[in-house]
Amino acid sequence: ILMRECMARTAHHMTQAVDGKDNATARILMTGVRGVGKSASLTALAASARHSNHIVLFVPQTNRLRTLGYYIIPSPDTPGLFDLPRLAIELNEQLLVNHEDLLADMMITDDIALPKLLIELLVSPSHTEEASDDQLKSPTSKSSYSCTDLLRVGVSNEEYSSLIYSKVMHHLQQQTNVPFHIIVDDYNTLYEKGKFYHEDYDYEVQESIPNHKITLFRPLLGVGFSDVFDDGEQQKENTEIPSNPKGSFVCATSERRAVPNADTKRLIQAATNNDNDIVVEVPRYSPIEVKHILANFECTGIGLLRDEDDNTINDPKEVAYHQMVSGMRGHKLLDSVFSY
């Protein structure tokens, strides 16, 4: 297994946040040129955290969420914010599929108020008689439910998917029983101007809705956004920078998306200037890393290395050739073994 220094450093900060006693969130931004392995590092970190029985929300395609939201509506639960119900279903489903057992033991008991119809969906027919009349008849009802119960409704009901996503995410970011990590790729796309419009935000529909005004994205804005959360909004859970008292927020910039360089540089500068943010540079592969990867390619017979009689890594000229044409970058290195 190739464990790069940048991955080890990031994992160290994540572990420190979990083991630390000061409940400080590790907020990490991974940067680097295109193709050096930022996305691969995030994927490996997410898989490793899940293997350690940590809860992980992994968002590998933020740019898709930011541009293909199907439809957007004003949030009925938080005035001034907007919901993307179809996309909330996707993230609810990810949490449920990967962490159903852990979430079943997490009860949301912070005096939440849920709509009557949602209460009826949460109370199964076999237990309806156990629910009080006030619980079913009142416009809202305050009670406690497991995160699993909420998410099961949140993956099948668009009307409440965004509300459930927000409630579960808020709870995960406040609890301290199970480490919780938010891992986001294409993060710099959220630093660009928003892509969604609605007349309730701008009657002329000329100004796009800022990403921090969208409930789906608010929990994902953990690095470089300290200046946009001081906007006087009503609910406390929506006015603070997201923080996990026992976990981390890890994100990476993307150089393959159509994001202005000025926006990416502004994000990196904001994270660099913030003492609470950690910037980890993902460098090009070193010569020993290139040789390690080529050895794996050769062992499995990838591309033209299948016919090289297992001599590529023993030939300094062959190794030097792959280093040169790949520029010591991962995706280019893979391309180099398919064509000379």
Side-chain angles (χ1 to χ4, degrees), residues 228-244:
V228 301
F229 280 84
D230 185 22
D231 50 14
E233 291 171 6
Q234 297 178 10
Q235 291 194 5
K236 183 179 180 180
E237 66 188 71
N238 286 321
T239 59
E240 298 175 347
I241 301 173
S243 63
N244 306 339

Side-chain angles (χ1 to χ4, degrees), residues 52 78-79 99 148 167 173 189 243 254 263 269-270 299 306 312:
S52 300
T78 311
H99 306 292
T148 295
K167 293 294 183 184
Q173 290 180 296
T189 63
S243 63
S254 173
D263 289 336
Q269 189 62 47
C299 287
R306 180 187 298 272
T312 298

Side-chain angles (χ1 to χ4, degrees), residues 126-191:
S126 61
H127 295 89
T128 301
E129 64 274 9
E130 298 176 11
S132 67
D133 290 339
D134 290 339
Q135 186 181 30
L136 291 177
K137 293 179 180 178
S138 60
T140 62
S141 178
K142 296 178 180 179
S143 185
S144 61
Y145 301 92
S146 75
C147 289
T148 295
D149 290 337
L150 286 168
L151 288 171
R152 283 174 178 162
V153 176
V155 300
S156 59
N157 190 295
E158 286 189 27
E159 182 177 0
Y160 298 118
S161 60
S162 294
L163 170 62
I164 289 171
Y165 167 78
S166 297
K167 293 294 183 184
V168 171
M169 287 295 292
H170 179 63
H171 179 75
L172 288 172
Q173 290 180 296
Q174 300 302 316
Q175 58 84 35
T176 57
N177 294 323
V178 181
F180 175 52
H181 308 280
I182 299 175
I183 300 179
V184 184
D185 203 359
D186 296 345
Y187 185 72
N188 52 328
T189 63
L190 292 176
Y191 221 68

